[in-house]
Amino acid sequence: MSLFDHSLRELQQKLTAKEISVTDLVDTSYRRIAEVDDKVSAFLILDEARARAAAKQLDDAIATDKSMLFGLPIGIKDNIVTKDLKTTCASKILDGFEPIYDATVMHKLDDAQAITIGKLNMDEFAMGSSNETSAFGVTKNPWNTAYVPGGSSGGSAAAVAAGEVLCSLGSDTGGSIRQPASYCGVVGLKPTYGRVSRFGLIAFASSLDQIGPLTRTVADNAHVLEVISGHCTADATSANVPVPAFSEALTGDVRGLRIAVPAEYMGEGVDDAVKQSVRDALHVLEGLGAIVEEVSLPHSKYALATYYLIASSEASSNLARFDGVRYGYRTENAEDLLDMYLKTRAEGFGEEVKRRLMLGTFALSTGFYDAYYKKAQQVRALIKQDFDEVFSRFDVIIGPTTPTPAFRIGEKIDDPLTMYANDLLTIPVNLAGVPAISVPCGFQAGLPLGLQIIGKHFDEETIYRVADAYEQATGFTKEKPAL
């Protein structure tokens, strides 16, 4: 059996009919990891003993009214805390850290009786667009292992693309679910800010971070979001709104739906093949009865600078807690307390994390706060107003997920400004707090391309409806890499 060949619904039907067992699914996942993860390097740590024990327990139980995730293997990005299972954010400074509690999303997965297979590699503290800043090695793209899988949720996307797990959780601060989903040819959703609890997500930028699912199909993605969504009293930013049955929105009917295409998303810097794949996708949706019109998001050109000021400023505050005192790495060569702080952080953080912490600390410092951080927040409001204006007339916004397909490992790591530009098309979504999904929409030189569908606040249902209709009309999600 291959996890490539079945949807979550199909596997649940097989479990119900006793054609397969939960143990079979867990065996399949670990067998696939043993076969290919030396090439992909998606996993940092496996939780095999607990996973097999949980599978046996579920096989022995009489389950009624099963969740769609009952007994199904799932991978977890390594910035989501897992009780008694090492959580490092792919950073030396947290090497060996075992949390004493679970994130809210982990409680929800446990309630749904999903099986955690292990923790997935990522850019250090989610700072990066290629998975090359991890302190524990680079994850490779399953479609071509000489190329990056994207970041920061590169391990989460690569594990699904490689068929190691059925689904995974990632986090998205400026595109960190959608960009690797695009590069690896899978489906990745960033929910509306507040839809999924951030409690237990180790913070990068608190006003931007969101946990979301990565899957092979749109329907599978909707099922996972149903499980992990919901209000959480432990998270002050969690929205107390109803959780719809997202999977019921997959009607395939997009007739009369109004689609906006921002001119800025199809302009300079976007690869010609990427533009053509989006045009082809829009023709497909028009053929299904949707109405397509070009619009403008005029302040999107300021999004990149705005994002890096806000995100780095919030990171400088959030990462101050990693000081060697309470948990994680501590230098062995300190002369006094201050020296311990300085050396621990200098030795424990990687170059990209240090770069952003320095930028953020500068932007928040006396004399520069108003000129940089405050101004960035004012521009953020203008970016959100652009989205609000377009959504007053349209149902969704569509464009590319990334300006180019995946690039070679090592090609851009020494050029941070070029690396930052990879998130040019995803960052505005996080600044506005709206939901967006990336679905596969073609290939260039054997590497996947992604279509980004952006929706109104708390309207993931319409996003899923459009994404599913496109998926069913094209079939790109059925393609799989030949590892």
Side-chain angles (χ1 to χ4, degrees), residues 2 44 106 115 156 173 259 360 367 435 438:
S2 169
L44 290 178
M106 297 308 301
I115 304 287
S156 299
T173 306
I259 296 173
S438 178

Side-chain angles (χ1 to χ4, degrees), residues 158-228:
V160 173
E164 296 176 314
V165 288
L166 284 158
C167 49
S168 65
L169 294 187
S171 67
D172 193 310
T173 306
S176 291
I177 289 173
R178 290 158 289 150
Q179 188 246 33
S182 175
Y183 283 0
C184 291
V186 298
V187 178
L189 176 96
K190 184 209 87 74
T192 306
Y193 184 79
R195 169 70 80 184
V196 178
S197 172
R198 293 188 303 108
F199 181 73
L201 173 67
I202 297 175
F204 164 13
S206 302
S207 72
L208 300 164
D209 299 339
Q210 268 292 278
I211 297 171
L214 294 103
T215 58
R216 289 192 57 78
T217 69
V218 174
D220 287 358
N221 205 279
H223 288 307
V224 178
L225 187 64
E226 287 177 20
V227 168
I228 65 172

Side-chain angles (χ1 to χ4, degrees), residues 1-18:
M1 184 177 65
S2 169
L3 298 182
F4 278 130
D5 300 330
H6 305 284
S7 68
L8 298 184
R9 184 174 295 280
E10 289 168 344
L11 289 174
Q12 280 304 323
Q13 291 169 346
K14 289 180 177 293
L15 285 170
T16 301
K18 299 192 182 299

